[in-house]
């Protein structure tokens, strides 16, 4: 087996979807499928069940997943050790980020890092807060950037920027008039388009409801979507509302395609995640220092 086959297996196992895995590791679905088939055929083991157009890990696949992760983590640690012996002229840095951070806040940081250290191969993979947290815990990512709350004793969680969650609606929605809303109104008279479970934005919104005595089960959720862009597009063409990061909706709000409803949600932060016990590469430390050096009032989003 090759390291590439292990990386492909892990990507498919985490997503249980060939196309999404292929997109994440920049291969074609046919190449991903072929690599999995060859691995299964050589070792005479079935790692995935094919159920219609869906796949899922078998018992053997679930048992193999932590071993595959451990092998890749050790190989990566060896590579980093050699790379750092020559400074930051060469090497790699694996970064995971939840969608809002990856789409709006993080790219300028990565471009500045690349300008200073062009020999470092930066690999950015997006997900939601839950999947990013898991990647840092498992050693698949050197650093994680998330927008939702994280409660993992093994991880250090450091604020890198401030953000705001807002409720947005189409201009013809009853909530677009500017009338002050109560949290009870959100459950009693609203229909919602939401991000998927595990999204940091959704977690912040649901926590705000709970804090104000509203059971999240009372929300009428008509659609769950896997990206900010899909949520915003759905809200523009429906009578539904959505809770999103202000930075993701900024352009649509300025252009008048969406309107911010008059209710205040708690502020939140974008956070950098790092494993407390794993060795931190020099490249990861440099990117961390860059992000923290810009964590001040001018970096609020």
């Amino acid at each position: 087996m090759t390291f590439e086959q292990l990386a492909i297996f892990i990507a498919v196992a985490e997503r249980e979807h060939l196309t999404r895995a292929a997109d994440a590791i920049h291969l074609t679905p046919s190449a991903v499928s072929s690599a999995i088939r060859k691995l299964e055929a050589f070792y005479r083991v079935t790692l995935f069940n094919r159920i219609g157009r869906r796949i899922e890990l078998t018992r053997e696949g679930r048992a193999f997943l932590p071993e595959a992760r451990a092998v890749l983590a050790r190989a990566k640690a060896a590579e980093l050790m050699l790379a750092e012996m020559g400074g930051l002229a060469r090497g790699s840095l694996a970064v995971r980020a939840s969608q809002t951070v990856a789409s709006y806040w993080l790219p300028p940081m990565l471009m500045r890092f690349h300008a200073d250290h062009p020999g470092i191969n930066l690999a950015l993979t997006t997900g939601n807060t839950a999947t990013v947290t898991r990647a840092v815990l498992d050693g698949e990512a050197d650093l994680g950037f998330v927008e939702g709350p994280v409660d993992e004793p093994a991880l250090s969680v450091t604020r890198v920027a401030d953000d705001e969650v807002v409720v947005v609606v189409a201009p013809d929605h009853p909530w677009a008039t500017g009338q002050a809303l109560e949290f009870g109104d959100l459950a009693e008279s609203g229909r919602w388009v939401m991000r998927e479970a595990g999204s940091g934005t959704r977690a912040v919104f649901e926590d705000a409801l709970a804090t104000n005595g509203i059971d999240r089960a009372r929300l009428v959720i008509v659609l769950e979507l896997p990206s900010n862009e899909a949520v915003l597009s759905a809200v523009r063409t429906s009578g539904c509302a959505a809770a999103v990061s202000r930075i993701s909706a900024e352009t649509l709000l300025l252009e008048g395609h969406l309107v911010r409803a008059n209710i205040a949600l708690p502020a939140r932060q974008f956070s950098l995640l790092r494993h407390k016990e794993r060795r931190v590469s020099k490249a990861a430390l440099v990117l961390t220092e860059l992000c923290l050096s810009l964590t001040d009032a001018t970096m609020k989003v």
Side-chain angles (χ1 to χ4, degrees), residues 216-240:
R216 68 192 67 179
R218 291 172 56 193
L219 287 183
V220 179
I221 301 174
V222 302
L223 193 60
E224 293 184 356
L225 294 169
S227 72
N228 296 321
E229 291 73 19
V231 169
L232 293 169
S233 178
V235 172
R236 283 183 64 182
T237 56
S238 71
C240 295

Side-chain angles (χ1 to χ4, degrees), residues 81-199:
M81 179 177 290
L82 288 176
E84 288 178 7
M85 289 177 181
L88 286 178
R90 298 183 56 130
S92 62
L93 181 60
V95 178
R96 294 281 182 105
S98 53
Q99 285 194 19
T100 303
V101 183
S103 298
Y104 301 97
W105 183 82
L106 188 57
M109 305 294 171
L110 298 182
M111 291 305 298
R112 184 174 298 193
F113 178 90
H114 174 71
D116 293 338
H117 309 287
I120 302 297
N121 178 34
L122 279 170
L124 173 64
T125 304
T126 60
N128 58 34
T129 293
T131 59
V132 171
T133 300
R134 175 49 53 188
V136 178
L137 282 170
D138 292 341
E140 295 168 21
D142 301 300
L143 299 174
F145 293 86
V146 297
E147 64 225 45
V150 174
D151 183 17
E152 286 289 350
L155 301 183
S156 68
V157 182
T158 305
R159 167 189 168 270
V160 291
D162 296 326
D163 186 35
E164 183 181 12
V165 176
V166 297
V167 174
V168 296
V169 294
D172 59 352
H173 192 283
W175 292 352
T177 62
Q179 69 186 66
L181 298 174
E182 302 292 337
F183 278 89
D185 297 327
L186 304 184
E188 293 168 8
S189 58
R191 296 166 64 246
W192 294 86
V193 177
M194 300 287 283
R195 282 285 305 277
E196 78 286 359
S199 157

Side-chain angles (χ1 to χ4, degrees), residues 39-54:
L39 191 62
E40 291 179 319
F42 186 85
Y43 291 100
R44 300 179 182 179
V45 62
T46 300
L47 299 171
F48 295 94
N49 289 319
R50 282 76 171 175
I51 304 173
R53 299 183 65 182
R54 186 169 61 86

